[in-house]
Amino acid sequence: MPPETLTPARILETTEDVLRRYGPAKATVVDVARALGVSHGSVYRHFGSKAALREAVTQRWLDQSHTALSAFADAEGPAEPRLREWLAGLFAAKRHKAGDDPELFATYMVLVGENSSVVDRHIETMIEQLARIVSGGVRDGDFLAVDPAPTARAIWDATNRFHDPAYAAEWFRPGIDAAFEAVCDLVLRGLRSA
Amino acid sequence: MPPETLTPARILETTEDVLRRYGPAKATVVDVARALGVSHGSVYRHFGSKAALREAVTQRWLDQSHTALSAFADAEGPAEPRLREWLAGLFAAKRHKAGDDPELFATYMVLVGENSSVVDRHIETMIEQLARIVSGGVRDGDFLAVDPAPTARAIWDATNRFHDPAYAAEWFRPGIDAAFEAVCDLVLRGLRSA
């Protein structure tokens, strides 16, 4: 069988495996190359440094949330249920990430700490999606005539207990779903035009 | 001059000094006793263990917020400005604690991590204060007919970026006051009856 082509996507997948296996403190580019059966030079041709590789794998992990949620942001229909679905979708996705594979989640928490500019860009993208929903709600008269960008940021901030990984331990406690619904209700009432 | 009476308050004040000076990892009951010029037995007569002393000093630190804020919670007058003042007062108090004496704040962050039941009780007290304001607003018709207790918790959660010490580093960034106001506006609009 001919060897698979070495694509950035394959390198990033393997990097995730290696990070999970060796932990973020020990994993090296040589480990990634060995797992792929290539020289470390081949990996460096795609990612110029260990830091660039770790940044790219962090970005890829964060991007998984964008893709699923942008469907709610860009769907047709009334803004209020879309906003609620977006917030619930984000909380569910974060909870899955934290609960299904806690070791990988802990690994990414280390990477997230190292790559604050990647995280900042991710948050901006999330807030832009929220702003598109708010904007649609204002246009259709479902929401008050608020300024979408700062309002989107306020929604992001007001719900941060349910998406900031610093709170991951709380996401599995009894009562967390009721707490989430109560915050969503409060936020949505604060947007509603009537 | 006769020696001052050894009161719990004096012990707690001195404990704070000792914690600040030696750091929470190294400070001992013997250090506290030495700073007071008494035997460690005298300290143990008031606080049965090192853990009890650390818990009491944490409680005292957290209680400082209660006292100042309860004035807003129990004042007369319309609920909306009282709620805004309470939230702004809490944010200001937290920011002062974090900014005026960062070393002491870091010390208390260690103690807070050790004394989760003290922290839980503190949060309950804060949420009870919020519930009193909400309750008054509902009674006077300023607020929608919400259930005060879960709504108070939702307000607490929705504003946590501005009171959870995990976010202390963000409290000194440009734009934080605007972000705080935007969340308050959203929350207050979500409570207002008309």
Side-chain angles (χ1 to χ4, degrees):
Chain A
M1 227 169 59
E4 277 184 84
T5 319
L6 189 65
T7 59
R10 260 191 78 212
I11 297 173
L12 292 177
E13 265 169 52
T14 304
T15 304
E16 187 173 281
D17 287 343
V18 166
L19 281 164
R20 188 201 320 247
R21 217 177 322 146
Y22 298 93
K26 286 190 187 159
T28 66
V29 174
V30 172
D31 296 326
V32 174
R34 193 179 295 130
L36 285 160
V38 302
S39 72
H40 63 274
S42 309
V43 175
Y44 280 125
R45 224 163 292 136
H46 291 275
F47 298 96
S49 65
K50 182 178 166 183
L53 179 57
R54 287 165 84 103
E55 190 178 301
V57 81
T58 309
Q59 175 93 59
R60 172 177 165 270
W61 187 70
L62 294 170
D63 280 351
Q64 291 162 0
S65 324
H66 296 177
T67 323
L69 293 171
S70 63
F72 298 116
D74 299 320
E76 296 294 313
E80 182 165 327
R82 281 199 289 135
L83 179 52
R84 197 180 274 275
E85 280 165 5
W86 193 94
L87 292 169
L90 176 63
F91 184 32
K94 292 272 179 157
R95 205 150 41 160
H96 273 297
K97 277 185 176 175
D100 295 351
D101 194 338
E103 224 164 298
L104 188 64
F105 191 73
T107 295
Y108 273 110
M109 285 310 93
V110 174
L111 293 180
V112 152
E114 284 171 3
N115 295 285
S116 61
S117 65
V118 174
V119 175
D120 288 348
R121 281 202 302 279
H122 164 73
I123 292 174
E124 290 310 315
T125 308
M126 301 306 264
I127 293 175
E128 278 160 24
Q129 290 194 7
L130 280 170
R132 291 211 292 280
I133 303 178
V134 172
S135 205
V138 172
R139 185 197 58 218
D140 298 344
D142 297 329
F143 286 167
L144 293 163
V146 293
D147 191 352
T151 303
R153 185 168 297 273
I155 299 169
W156 179 260
D157 285 345
T159 53
N160 71 350
R161 191 180 161 198
F162 310 100
H163 57 67
D164 188 326
Y167 292 98
E170 297 185 5
W171 297 341
F172 303 94
R173 289 196 195 149
I176 189 75
D177 289 299
F180 172 71
E181 291 300 330
V183 169
C184 284
D185 289 347
L186 185 64
V187 163
L188 286 164
R189 282 203 311 268
L191 292 167
R192 212 172 285 161
S193 58
Chain B
M1 228 167 60
E4 279 184 82
T5 319
L6 190 63
T7 59
R10 257 191 82 212
I11 296 174
L12 292 176
E13 263 169 56
T14 304
T15 304
E16 187 174 280
D17 286 343
V18 166
L19 282 163
R20 190 205 315 251
R21 217 177 324 145
Y22 297 94
K26 287 190 187 159
T28 66
V29 175
V30 172
D31 296 326
V32 174
R34 193 177 298 131
L36 285 160
V38 302
S39 72
H40 62 272
S42 310
V43 175
Y44 281 124
R45 224 164 292 138
H46 291 275
F47 298 97
S49 66
K50 181 178 166 182
L53 180 57
R54 287 165 82 101
E55 191 178 301
V57 81
T58 310
Q59 175 93 60
R60 174 178 165 270
W61 187 70
L62 293 170
D63 280 352
Q64 291 162 0
S65 324
H66 296 175
T67 323
L69 292 170
S70 63
F72 298 115
D74 299 319
E76 296 294 313
E80 183 165 327
R82 280 201 290 135
L83 179 52
R84 197 181 275 275
E85 278 164 7
W86 193 94
L87 292 169
L90 176 62
F91 184 32
K94 294 271 180 157
R95 208 152 36 162
H96 273 298
K97 277 185 177 175
D100 294 351
D101 194 337
E103 225 163 297
L104 188 65
F105 190 73
T107 295
Y108 274 110
M109 286 309 92
V110 174
L111 294 180
V112 152
E114 283 171 5
N115 295 285
S116 61
S117 65
V118 174
V119 175
D120 288 349
R121 281 203 303 279
H122 163 73
I123 293 176
E124 290 311 315
T125 308
M126 299 306 263
I127 293 174
E128 279 160 23
Q129 291 194 6
L130 279 171
R132 290 211 294 279
I133 303 178
V134 172
S135 205
V138 171
R139 184 196 60 217
D140 297 344
D142 297 330
F143 287 167
L144 293 163
V146 293
D147 190 353
T151 303
R153 185 167 297 274
I155 297 168
W156 178 261
D157 285 345
T159 51
N160 71 350
R161 191 179 163 200
F162 309 100
H163 56 69
D164 188 325
Y167 292 98
E170 297 185 5
W171 297 341
F172 303 94
R173 289 195 194 152
I176 191 75
D177 289 298
F180 172 71
E181 292 300 329
V183 169
C184 284
D185 289 346
L186 186 64
V187 163
L188 287 164
R189 281 203 311 268
L191 291 168
R192 211 172 286 161
S193 58

